[in-house]
Structures are given as structure tokens and as C-alpha cells.
């Protein structure tokens, strides 16, 4: 192998390891080796080799009872500076308190390109189910979190955005914008649950609690960030019309 080949080989290995790690940004917190290989579009043997390296580096963990893989504590530690930069480490106690109070998972979303991306989740100690876990990446225009991030007239008028997600057991998602003192969007606070549970009566009690929490955590978020990204998205869409 020549010297010029080594960086290519190393870069390819890193790219594949990243492909394995990004498999965990979906709805399933734990994945089998075959699921990892399928999602990463890699051979099973290659996936196993990469997974073992990630286990040794503690970026992944493996459940000894099921052999399923999950994100390791080291990866969470590496993410802490980003959470600090976004203000989410300081906001976490408020988000967990809200989740416990309304007994629904609370998510924070921010803008990335033209999507609303989930960057943090606080699960309740009771009443959790998989229906409460949002997609990692959602449409900025059609999702409740995306509409809250856009904060256009309808959201400004009602104070929240709502979305009915059609499945065999329909899911209702609700989101409120996280607004700075300058009234610019810092992120979106969202919850979702089976629509049979998150009905109009529960919505009337959940939304005020979400808006109070959004107001409390807004000063903890760094200025700029999501606002800059959002303004770029809107400007690009206006130019395309």
C-alpha cells in the first residue's frame, strides 16, 4: 500500500463508522447487527468489525441479554460541548420537569438545512410509549415542530402548531416556538402521543405548560444559531418562487 493510499483507506473507514453511528438517529434506540448493516448499507462482516471497534472506544454499548447495540456513554460525553453551546445542558432540568408533569416525552428541534431536526429528548418517568418519539428529521414546512420553527401567522395567532400523523393508530404532534427576548426563534418545543390520548381536553392543559417551559429555557439558548439557519432557509425559498 502506498502512502497516498493510506489516507483514502483511513477516510473510508471513518466514513463507514460514521454511517454506523448515524443509524441511531432514528426511532429505535437499540439495533441488532443485521439492522445496523442494513441501515448503513454495509456487509455484515464489515459492520461487525466497525461495531466492535466502536464498542472498544465506548462509542457504542451492547446489551448482554439481547446483543443489541446502543449509543455509548462516551458518545454522550463527546456531545456535551454541543449541548452546552446550544444551551440544552442548562435547559434539561426544565425539560425533564415538563415531561414528568405532562407525562409525555418532550423534544427540542432546531433547523438544519430545510428540516426540523430533533436535538434533545426528555422522557417522562411514567406513561412513556414509542408513539412519543418523533422522527429524527422532519419537514420544516409540514411538521408541527417545523411550523413552530417557522413561527408564521397561524402559530403566532394560536401560540402553537399541531399535526396529525396518519398511522394505524394516529398520532398527534404539538409544538411551540422557543422565542428569545427579541422574539426571534431559538428552537421548537414539541410533544406527540396517540391522538386518542392527546385530545382537545389534554391539549388545553399541555400547551400552556409547554409555553411556560419554552419561556423559561429561551434565555439559556445562545443567540444566533437556529435563527441564522432559519433566515437562510426562508430567503432561499423566497428566491425560488
Amino acid at each position: 500500500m502506498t502512502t497516498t493510499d493510506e489516507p483514502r483507506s483511513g477516510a473510508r473507514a471513518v466514513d463507514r463508522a460514521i454511517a454506523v453511528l448515524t443509524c441511531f438517529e432514528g426511532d429505535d434506540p437499540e439495533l441488532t447487527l443485521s439492522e445496523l448493516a442494513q441501515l448503513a448499507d454495509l456487509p455484515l462482516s464489515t459492520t461487525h468489525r466497525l461495531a466492535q471497534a466502536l464498542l472498544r472506544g465506548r462509542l457504542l454499548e451492547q446489551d448482554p441479554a439481547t446483543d443489541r447495540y446502543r449509543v455509548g456513554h462516551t458518545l454522550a460525553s463527546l456531545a456535551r460541548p454541543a449541548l452546552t453551546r446550544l444551551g440544552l445542558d442548562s435547559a434539561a432540568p426544565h425539560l425533564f420537569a415538563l415531561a414528568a408533569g405532562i407525562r409525555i416525552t418532550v423534544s427540542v428541534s432546531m433547523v438544519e438545512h430545510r428540516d426540523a431536526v430533533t436535538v434533545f429528548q426528555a422522557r417522562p418517568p411514567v406513561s412513556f410509549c414509542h408513539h412519543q418519539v418523533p422522527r429524527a428529521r422532519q419537514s420544516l414546512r409540514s411538521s408541527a415542530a417545523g411550523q413552530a420553527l417557522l413561527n408564521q401567522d397561524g402559530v403566532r395567532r394560536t401560540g402553537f402548531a399541531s399535526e396529525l400523523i396518519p398511522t394505524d393508530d394516529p398520532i398527534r404532534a404539538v409544538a411551540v416556538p422557543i422565542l428569545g427576548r427579541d422574539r426571534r426563534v431559538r428552537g421548537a418545543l414539541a410533544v406527540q402521543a396517540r391522538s386518542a390520548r392527546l385530545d382537545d381536553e389534554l391539549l388545553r392543559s399541555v400547551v400552556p405548560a409547554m409555553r411556560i417551559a419554552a419561556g423559561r429555557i429561551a434565555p439559556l439558548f445562545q443567540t444566533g444559531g437556529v435563527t441564522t439557519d432559519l433566515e437562510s432557509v426562508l430567503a432561499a425559498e423566497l428566491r425560488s418562487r
Side-chain angles (χ1 to χ4, degrees):
M1 181 180 295
T2 66
T3 304
T4 55
D5 289 332
E6 290 175 0
R8 293 182 184 176
S9 177
R12 186 162 57 249
V14 171
D15 286 343
R16 288 176 170 179
I18 292 171
V20 170
L21 289 174
T22 54
C23 293
F24 292 92
E25 70 175 9
D27 294 342
D28 289 321
E30 296 188 351
L31 297 167
T32 66
L33 182 64
S34 59
E35 288 169 340
L36 275 175
Q38 183 178 6
L39 288 169
D41 195 22
L42 293 170
L44 196 64
S45 59
T46 301
T47 306
H48 180 263
R49 186 171 64 253
L50 290 168
Q52 291 304 305
L54 293 169
L55 283 173
R56 290 193 295 272
R58 298 183 181 180
L59 298 178
L60 290 183
E61 296 175 351
Q62 193 171 22
D63 188 323
T66 64
D67 286 337
R68 297 174 74 90
Y69 295 89
R70 62 194 176 212
V71 170
H73 289 165
T74 296
L75 191 59
S77 297
L78 291 172
R80 183 167 295 279
L83 296 177
T84 300
R85 186 177 69 252
L86 296 172
L88 288 168
D89 57 340
S90 301
H94 299 282
L95 298 172
F96 279 104
L98 175 62
I102 64 176
R103 299 194 299 172
I104 303 175
T105 296
V106 176
S107 302
V108 174
S109 295
M110 292 187 172
V111 176
E112 184 178 279
H113 303 304
R114 299 195 178 200
D115 294 325
V117 177
T118 302
V119 295
F120 189 86
Q121 290 180 15
R123 295 187 178 185
V126 295
S127 301
F128 171 76
C129 72
H130 70 277
H131 295 291
Q132 299 173 16
V133 180
R135 298 186 302 277
R137 186 176 294 271
Q138 304 178 74
S139 164
L140 196 60
R141 284 290 180 190
S142 60
S143 66
Q147 288 295 307
L149 284 165
L150 292 172
N151 195 32
Q152 294 184 326
D153 292 342
V155 176
R156 291 176 186 172
R157 185 174 63 254
T158 63
F160 69 95
S162 180
E163 171 196 10
L164 187 63
I165 303 170
T167 65
D168 291 338
D169 191 358
I171 298 169
R172 189 174 193 176
V174 181
V176 301
I178 301 170
L179 300 173
R181 290 189 182 132
D182 56 2
R183 308 305 295 171
R184 300 174 81 185
V185 177
R186 303 294 179 225
L189 195 62
V191 302
Q192 66 178 51
R194 295 171 54 247
S195 61
R197 178 186 174 197
L198 190 52
D199 56 15
D200 290 345
E201 181 179 357
L202 183 57
L203 186 70
R204 283 192 288 271
S205 63
V206 165
V207 168
M210 291 174 65
R211 295 186 68 183
I212 290 171
R216 286 175 177 167
I217 67 175
L220 305 175
F221 282 61
Q222 297 293 325
T223 57
V226 66
T227 308
T228 303
D229 227 2
L230 184 55
E231 288 175 347
S232 298
V233 169
L234 294 175
E237 290 198 0
L238 287 171
R239 287 196 300 271
S240 66
R241 290 178 182 175

